[in-house]
Amino acid sequence: MATPFPTHPLRTAADLAPVLDAIGDARVVLLGEASHGTHEYYTWRAALSKRLIQEKGFQFIAVEGDWPDCFAVNAAIKQDEVTYGSAAQLLQTFDRWPTWMWGNWEIAALVDWLHRHNQQQPAERRVGFYGLDVYSLWESLQAVLQYTEKQGDGAMTAARQAFRCFEPYSTDPQEYARAVAFVSEDCQDEVTGVLRALRRQAVERHPTNLPEREAAFGAEQNALVAVNAERYYKAMLRGGGASWNVRDEHMMETLTRLLDLHGPSSKAIIWAHNTHIGDARYTDMRREDMVNIGQLAREKLGRDRVFSIGFGSYQGSVIAGKEWGAPMEKITVPAATRNSWEGQLHSQLGGENGLLLSAEIRNDARLRQSVPHRAIGVVYRPQFEQFGNYVPSLLPDRYDAFLFLDRTQALHPLAIHPAEQGPPDLYPWGE
């Protein structure tokens, strides 16, 4: 490489200062990852999230996870009346495949930190933890039914009707989608009716204390998940990019609702894969008319109010499955291809980590055309990596900053490293 890209050293959490300065007064910070199973992506995002909370007053973290499970974590870390045992116990609720995404020691350490932090704060300033995803159709319906039966109000009838509509499909949303694909009868009206009933109820009651307000918000959000999940699973059966767009539009709608819940000056931290947080317009996703939360947040909130940070590594290991639903494995990640973004940074930095700011590389002629940028999902077969794991990207436009971690290791799932063995050493750099 004739002329090196300008980079900043990245060894400890103190080295995040340049990116914190670049974030400035942004309202939403999006933190990516190039896989769902890499230790360093979780620990560096946690380190940055802590600084954003402590130094810039960010009020919640929203992750690429299911709403019901994350909302249970939120209640445990925020509400004094909820008994808090340990994060390792709490995260056992994440039992949907891929369980390792949130059921791991890296997240347990963050959740324990959030709980300790919140104990020092008044109720209205406690930091929340929420889920952005749309998969939990059945679990969200169950949560709505439990909430409405406890309240004993008019929304209960609508919730029961929706519950009965989905019951024949054995809690399997994909079975539901297959069953209604070629007939006119489906459960769309039922789930939409639940959402309308809960929204009418929220206007009528307008709870003022924080626990009741969050409980009502959570029930309405579960109803919204059910509405959009019903759409998602039907779109997924049809193929194409429609289901992806339903999912990311739901993520953006959820983020907007959370910002509104926390007030006009609220600030959010988002954890999701690079393919969600890096602006889709600057990848090949655009050709397929696919959008993501990174693009939608910039369009809705303004580019200067959104700061997106991509992550990537050159080689190492990762937790993933060889196919959907397969047992998790520790899989070797081979060296990135020479012409890729990761290969170029490895060559320049000689095996060291580095932080890049888009403002400092935007005018580089080498980045005015797409560069292959690695993306690993929950399903990963490295022998086929060159055929499907590199996303052509205009890097300075896709992200506002990039954290390059040369060698990475697999994260520590609770199922592989059980609680009785104690937590592993997660922060060798002194966190």
Side-chain angles (χ1 to χ4, degrees), residues 158-184:
R160 285 176 174 171
Q161 287 174 344
F163 197 85
R164 283 195 296 269
C165 188
F166 283 98
E167 262 188 319
Y169 308 104
S170 305
T171 75
D172 183 351
Q174 294 186 52
E175 182 181 330
Y176 161 77
R178 288 190 293 268
V180 303
F182 304 107
V183 298
S184 59

Side-chain angles (χ1 to χ4, degrees), residues 320-358:
K322 292 292 179 60
E323 60 185 29
W324 190 266
M328 71 179 81
E329 298 181 44
K330 182 178 179 180
I331 301 174
T332 298
V333 178
T337 58
R338 189 173 181 180
N339 68 327
S340 68
W341 180 233
E342 294 79 4
Q344 293 181 57
L345 291 177
H346 170 76
S347 177
Q348 173 183 320
L349 296 173
E352 297 296 323
N353 299 338
L355 164 65
L356 293 89
L357 301 176
S358 293

Side-chain angles (χ1 to χ4, degrees), residues 248-259:
D248 273 64
E249 287 163 357
H250 173 81
M251 290 184 182
M252 187 62 216
E253 186 174 6
T254 302
L255 171 59
T256 302
R257 281 172 42 77
L258 285 167
L259 289 170

